[in-house]
Amino acid sequence: MKAVNDFRHSGTKSTTETERERRNRTIARKAAVEGFVLLKNEGLLPLAENSAVALLGSAGHIIKGGTGSGDVNQRDVVNIDAGLRNAGVTLTTENWLADFDRRYLDARITWRDSILGTETDADSTSVFNNYAQKTFHMPGGREITEGDIEGAQAAVYVISRVAGEAADRKAEKGDYYLTEKETADLQWLDKKGIPTVLILNAGGPVELTEVSELPSLKAILFISQPGQEGGNAVADVLLGKVTPSGKLTDTWAKQYRDYPNAETFSYLSGDTSQEFYREGIYVGYRYFDSFDVKPLFPFGYGLSYTQFEIKAGSVKADGCGVEVPFTVTNTGDQYAGKEAVQVYITCPQTGIHKEYQRLGGFFKTPLLAPGERCEGSIAIPAKQFASFEEERSAWIAEAGKYGLWIGNSSVKNELAAVLTVEKEAVLEEVPHICPMQEWLPEMLRPDGILEREAAWHAQAAEAGVPEVPFAPAPEKRPVPYGDSISQEAKRLAIRADIEELLPLFYGEMSKGQGAIGAAGIKVPGSAAETSGALEKKYRIAPVVLADGPAGLRLNKKYDVDKETDEVIPEGFLASLEGGFFAEGQAAERENAEHWHQFCTAFPVGTLLAQSFDTALVEEVGRAVAEEMGEFHVGWWLAPGMNIHRNPLCGRNFEYYSEDPLVSGVIAAAITHGVQSLPGTGTTIKHFACNNQEDNRMLSDSIVSERALREIYLRGFEIAVKTSQPMCIMTSYNLLNGIHTANSYDLCTQAAREEWGFAGVIMTDWTTTMHEGGSIPWKCIAAGNDIIMPGDTVDEVSIKEAAASGELSEEVIRKSAERIINMILRTNSYKDAEPYGKIMK
């Protein structure tokens, strides 16, 4: 294979919007619309196209995505006021919005100055920590007056929240709770009797119980963080150009205290060094449904402008799993729309305790006109019916009756069939992993769940629900990962001297730019590159890595020396907040010319998952891959797929759901999309139990093996087995006392031996570079192949361990083999094929 990465740098001098940008704008807009969730609508929406609207709140400053590594520096962003203007809506609040703009700019500058302080080092870790800890909060607007709403048929009030890397959200006003000003504004609008739409622009839930029942608050639309085309997408839904069809991938509680870990999550426990997962398997709707706690909005919930009828067909079962056929009909008479069909499983409670129900599968219909119907089916693999029994270390489908429920949310579904398992089935026996080192009392079977089981059994018998015999068969083990290693990679890993291979195990050194944001030179703003140590002798070229997961995080603008054609390093502030923090930091350079990299800011992970549309998510993945090819990025540091264990996790916006099936299926879909193009691959992260951001590098997640396997690893398992991502990224935290990057149980036993993972495993950034962090050589021994971004501490540790024999020659050559194999699959080589095609 011939290396082709001898480019100087990746951008363009042109500022003209390209066809690729226009095409990806369209995809971003469509993806946003499909993931919006209509939480309430009492006849107000859609608005008439010629409506006059009193637009209020943060409508002029949409939060397109989260902060930190999840940010994207796009060409521009369409705010909600711009989107409504583009659609021809008349706004009665021009003066109010102009005043808010002034307040917003003042607040942003004050916030920026508080973060920069007196720092002079643009790459200072303390600047980044300040940025992470000092979350920007939207200012309040001035008082609303009668003149602001005069002539308006409706009010649209926008509430926005910012969250991001390295800090959790807070159970405080202005974050999880509404501010006094926000509540007062909505109450004022209610007293004036003006029909109001509340738009929630946040990465996760905000408590709305207090205001949701205001008589004049007729509609609530959750737009999450919708990417750069969010404003146009909002206008599409408000004006009925598109019927909303998104569904919640999380349960929204009436009060924060209703979550099972509300009082002990992260900073609320008073000790962020340990996080006890006492709720066990009862996460999200598994808890609310099992303990009969009524939420404000349930999992899988979302309204439409039309209505649908879902009817199940004859369920079929064999050893591999169950097929649930169905028919969906649009029973409305005005609007076309799409429906997300969901099937839930109720397992028998006769053996080990289980949640009341779990999601078995889902299907997003095509657009159906009034009266139109479609047929489909949902295939549920046998393992989805199994539970992990710790005593036998096995996945078991116990004997008994399993209910299959079909509908469009976790609370709106009907019993479709009863599966009868006559004999216990052991689907998979596995070695124990990640043993707990501390006692952990977990929630057990809730009171009344056996009576609820008896009730649905009686309901099934009375209604004559068909019973279907089901005999689950042992799961077929995946092909061993070694079978996919190319002969070229094997030959080189054997041929090279041990000393030549060692630099492969840490990223290319940051050339004095510092660890945080060691921005690439060839691709400015990229996160890192793999080592180029083998390039000169063996033509093993470095691979460029770029952050996600809402698109590529690169510098929108960078400078090149006219005489040398070399990129002029600018430090990480150049890529932070689209260069907002670098404004005024450097004078115009005489010998410099400006180059550009315009990437697309797609909707965040949660919003993509809320579409329940795997074909759409694949399309987003292909669009990202196209940009990766254009900018010479080989590995995308996405998708993020940790479980939404608690709504206060600062990075929940990057992740998909509280449900592992949704997480795994959506991650597999975007991986299929990215890896359908030659030379590009995903990096699923953060492996595993990275469910909080406060003290993320030293926090110890203490979790039982059952909860670990059923909740926190299950999504990764699904993604690996169905899409074979090129890479996995381990997390910062410890898991039962061991840093995940040092965990043989995670990296080798689970990912490779059990799931057949064939790719590269890398650390998260700087995990070995601080006191108490991962030990560099132990990363390689565990099966974590590459330490990122690369530092002398890693080099020294690995060389010493190799010399002493702590790192054996066999481990070194096997890890090098995996790294070389993946590098040869990337766009660093002109004849690289789509990795998805190779694995199939």
Side-chain angles (χ1 to χ4, degrees):
M1 301 180 78
K2 185 177 179 181
V4 295
N5 76 334
D6 53 352
F7 60 94
R8 285 277 188 175
H9 46 88
S10 60
T12 175
K13 286 188 283 188
S14 173
T15 59
T16 303
E17 187 175 50
T18 66
E19 177 58 33
R20 183 269 302 165
E21 285 185 85
R22 288 189 289 271
R23 186 165 58 250
N24 285 1
R25 277 184 184 276
T26 301
I27 295 170
R29 182 172 178 171
K30 177 171 67 173
V33 166
E34 295 293 331
F36 290 168
V37 181
L38 185 61
L39 298 174
K40 178 180 179 180
N41 188 27
E42 296 179 348
L44 178 57
L45 298 180
L47 302 172
E49 288 193 20
N50 59 353
S51 294
V53 169
L55 184 61
L56 299 158
S58 52
H61 304 278
I62 196 168
I63 306 301
K64 72 178 193 305
T67 63
S69 64
D71 196 9
V72 178
N73 298 317
Q74 73 294 326
R75 179 186 291 269
D76 52 44
V77 62
V78 181
N79 293 309
I80 293 173
D81 65 345
L84 290 176
R85 293 175 201 270
N86 292 342
V89 173
T90 300
L91 303 181
T92 68
T93 46
E94 298 276 1
N95 292 335
W96 193 97
L97 293 169
D99 181 80
F100 188 93
D101 286 346
R102 290 189 289 271
R103 294 167 184 255
Y104 173 84
L105 181 59
D106 289 345
R108 288 283 285 178
I109 292 172
T110 300
W111 171 70
R112 181 183 67 185
D113 292 346
S114 74
I115 290 169
L116 292 177
T118 59
E119 296 288 346
T120 57
D121 179 3
D123 295 309
S124 170
T125 300
S126 63
V127 171
F128 180 81
N129 288 338
N130 281 344
Y131 171 69
Q133 297 299 322
K134 296 183 178 181
T135 302
F136 177 74
H137 295 285
M138 284 286 178
R142 67 162 170 78
E143 296 302 314
I144 308 168
T145 67
E146 295 276 1
D148 294 322
I149 63 173
E150 185 178 355
Q153 282 89 49
V156 174
Y157 192 95
V158 182
I159 291 176
S160 299
R161 295 291 187 266
V162 178
E165 185 176 10
D168 286 319
R169 295 177 61 194
K170 298 295 183 284
E172 298 171 354
K173 293 180 179 180
D175 194 341
Y176 187 78
Y177 300 111
L178 299 185
T179 65
E180 292 179 2
K181 182 67 166 62
E182 289 164 344
T183 300
D185 284 349
L186 291 169
Q187 290 173 339
W188 188 90
L189 293 169
D190 180 60
K191 288 178 181 178
K192 297 301 177 181
I194 185 168
T196 301
V197 181
L198 172 60
I199 294 179
L200 186 59
N201 174 206
V206 172
E207 191 164 301
L208 300 176
T209 304
E210 182 181 353
V211 299
S212 63
E213 297 302 320
L214 290 173
S216 292
L217 184 58
K218 300 294 185 182
I220 303 174
L221 182 67
F222 176 50
I223 66 168
S224 186
Q225 294 170 339
Q228 70 182 66
E229 283 291 308
N232 286 331
V234 167
D236 289 340
V237 169
L238 293 186
L239 299 178
K241 296 177 181 178
V242 179
T243 296
S245 62
K247 305 287 183 179
L248 291 180
T249 57
D250 294 311
T251 306
W252 288 35
K254 289 183 178 180
Q255 289 119 3
Y256 173 70
R257 65 175 179 266
D258 289 342
Y259 293 103
N261 47 35
E263 295 181 358
T264 59
F265 176 76
S266 186
Y267 76 96
L268 292 168
S269 70
D271 179 9
T272 58
S273 66
Q274 291 183 308
E275 184 71 12
F276 293 91
Y277 288 49
R278 294 189 179 94
E279 70 277 6
I281 63 168
Y282 297 108
V283 177
Y285 70 91
R286 286 169 163 82
Y287 169 76
F288 284 83
D289 294 347
S290 301
F291 288 80
D292 201 23
V293 178
K294 302 302 180 186
L296 183 63
F297 302 115
F299 176 89
Y301 170 83
L303 301 175
S304 173
Y305 293 156
T306 188
Q307 301 83 41
F308 296 94
E309 181 183 66
I310 302 172
K311 288 188 176 181
S314 298
V315 173
K316 299 175 183 178
D318 59 24
C320 295
V322 175
E323 183 178 350
V324 184
F326 58 83
T327 302
V328 180
T329 305
N330 182 344
T331 58
D333 57 10
Q334 188 172 1
Y335 296 102
K338 300 178 181 180
E339 180 63 290
V341 182
Q342 302 159 47
V343 173
Y344 293 84
I345 302 166
T346 301
C347 298
Q349 294 286 344
T350 49
I352 59 175
H353 67 96
K354 305 175 191 70
E355 69 277 23
Y356 176 72
Q357 64 178 354
R358 66 182 66 154
L359 184 67
F362 56 88
F363 180 97
K364 187 69 173 281
T365 71
L367 186 68
L368 300 177
E372 188 177 6
R373 70 176 188 176
C374 76
E375 296 180 349
S377 66
I378 294 173
I380 307 175
K383 193 167 183 178
Q384 198 63 17
F385 294 86
S387 300
F388 185 77
E389 186 180 294
E390 288 190 15
E391 186 175 342
R392 287 188 280 176
S393 193
W395 288 90
I396 295 171
E398 293 180 326
K401 294 183 177 183
Y402 293 73
L404 281 182
W405 308 74
I406 190 167
N408 64 3
S409 80
S410 59
V411 300
K412 190 177 180 182
N413 49 56
E414 296 182 355
L415 193 58
V418 177
L419 303 176
T420 56
V421 175
E422 294 294 336
K423 183 180 178 183
E424 176 193 273
V426 178
L427 274 63
E428 184 181 17
E429 294 179 292
V430 292
H432 285 293
I433 60 171
C434 305
M436 285 192 299
Q437 299 177 30
E438 299 193 38
W439 182 62
L440 179 70
E442 284 187 309
M443 288 184 177
L444 298 176
R445 179 182 284 128
D447 293 338
I449 201 165
L450 294 178
E451 289 77 7
R452 293 173 68 190
E453 180 179 54
W456 79 255
H457 283 184
Q459 174 190 344
E462 183 178 349
V465 175
E467 293 198 8
V468 180
F470 180 34
E475 184 172 72
K476 191 175 181 180
R477 293 301 290 266
V479 175
Y481 75 86
D483 290 4
S484 67
I485 304 293
S486 70
Q487 290 302 311
E488 186 173 358
K490 290 180 179 180
R491 284 194 299 269
L492 182 52
I494 294 172
R495 174 185 171 191
D497 293 336
I498 289 293
E499 292 75 16
E500 293 178 312
L501 296 175
L502 297 183
L504 290 175
F505 302 147
Y506 42 87
E508 191 72 11
M509 296 298 184
S510 57
K511 300 181 179 66
Q513 293 188 72
I516 294 179
I521 296 299
K522 290 179 179 177
V523 183
S526 59
E529 295 180 13
T530 61
S531 174
L534 300 186
E535 184 173 17
K536 185 174 181 181
K537 183 174 181 180
Y538 297 110
R539 299 293 290 166
I540 299 301
V543 176
V544 176
L545 291 69
D547 266 319
L552 298 186
R553 184 173 181 263
L554 305 176
N555 286 5
K556 183 165 61 176
K557 187 191 79 162
Y558 61 93
D559 285 348
V560 173
D561 189 296
K562 292 179 181 178
E563 295 180 2
T564 64
D565 196 33
E566 295 288 346
V567 174
I568 301 171
E570 294 188 72
F572 86 99
L573 288 184
S575 65
L576 197 64
E577 300 269 335
F580 175 66
F581 279 83
E583 292 176 5
Q585 298 292 307
E588 189 75 16
R589 300 178 177 98
E590 290 185 7
N591 269 340
E593 58 185 6
H594 300 319
W595 286 62
H596 305 274
Q597 299 172 125
F598 294 113
C599 301
T600 307
F602 294 97
V604 296
T606 298
L607 190 148
L608 291 179
Q610 288 174 175
S611 74
F612 277 76
D613 190 336
T614 55
L616 173 66
V617 174
E618 281 197 38
E619 186 178 7
V620 171
R622 287 191 294 274
V624 171
E626 186 177 0
E627 294 187 11
M628 292 171 70
E630 180 178 329
F631 296 116
H632 304 278
V633 173
W635 297 342
W636 186 35
L637 302 178
M641 50 182 304
N642 291 105
I643 293 297
H644 294 174
R645 176 175 172 252
N646 181 286
L648 298 185
C649 175
R651 292 180 86 172
N652 273 355
F653 66 91
E654 292 190 22
Y655 309 142
Y656 295 130
S657 177
E658 66 189 24
D659 180 76
L661 177 68
V662 171
S663 298
V665 170
I666 298 298
I670 205 160
T671 295
H672 282 310
V674 170
Q675 296 184 172
S676 67
L677 272 64
T680 53
T682 63
T683 306
I684 61 174
K685 63 183 188 181
H686 304 89
F687 190 57
C689 293
N690 184 180
N691 305 111
Q692 73 178 62
E693 287 297 296
D694 284 4
N695 195 32
R696 59 182 177 166
M697 292 190 178
L698 294 174
S699 177
D700 187 4
S701 298
I702 299 166
V703 55
S704 70
E705 186 176 4
R706 182 183 179 193
L708 178 65
R709 286 187 176 275
E710 289 193 22
I711 305 296
Y712 301 102
L713 296 187
R714 181 67 174 139
F716 286 96
E717 177 184 2
I718 292 168
V720 166
K721 287 182 175 179
T722 56
S723 69
Q724 272 295 347
M726 280 193 180
C727 307
I728 293 174
M729 182 190 292
T730 49
S731 52
Y732 285 122
N733 56 282
L734 295 85
L735 175 56
N736 290 333
I738 298 176
H739 277 285
T740 61
N742 289 165
S743 174
Y744 180 91
D745 286 3
L746 281 180
C747 300
T748 298
Q749 178 54 48
R752 292 198 171 96
E753 300 300 332
E754 294 181 25
W755 307 341
F757 177 61
V760 165
I761 300 178
M762 71 180 77
T763 68
D764 206 337
W765 268 228
T766 75
T767 183
T768 60
M769 294 169 57
H770 60 90
E771 186 176 353
S774 301
I775 298 171
W777 75 266
K778 287 188 176 182
C779 294
I780 315 308
N784 186 123
D785 302 301
I786 305 177
I787 301 169
M788 283 296 180
D791 187 82
T792 52
V793 68
D794 307 317
E795 180 181 23
V796 170
S797 174
I798 289 169
K799 286 183 176 179
E800 288 180 351
S804 69
E806 288 176 297
L807 262 183
S808 70
E809 180 175 345
E810 179 184 8
V811 168
I812 289 169
R813 293 194 185 278
K814 278 293 180 185
S815 183
E817 188 179 89
R818 292 190 293 264
I819 296 168
I820 294 167
N821 185 58
M822 283 298 104
I823 290 176
L824 293 175
R825 306 292 197 196
T826 70
N827 52 22
S828 296
Y829 297 85
K830 71 174 185 178
D831 48 356
E833 298 179 64
Y835 188 56
K837 178 181 177 183
I838 294 169
M839 294 311 298
K840 288 179 182 177

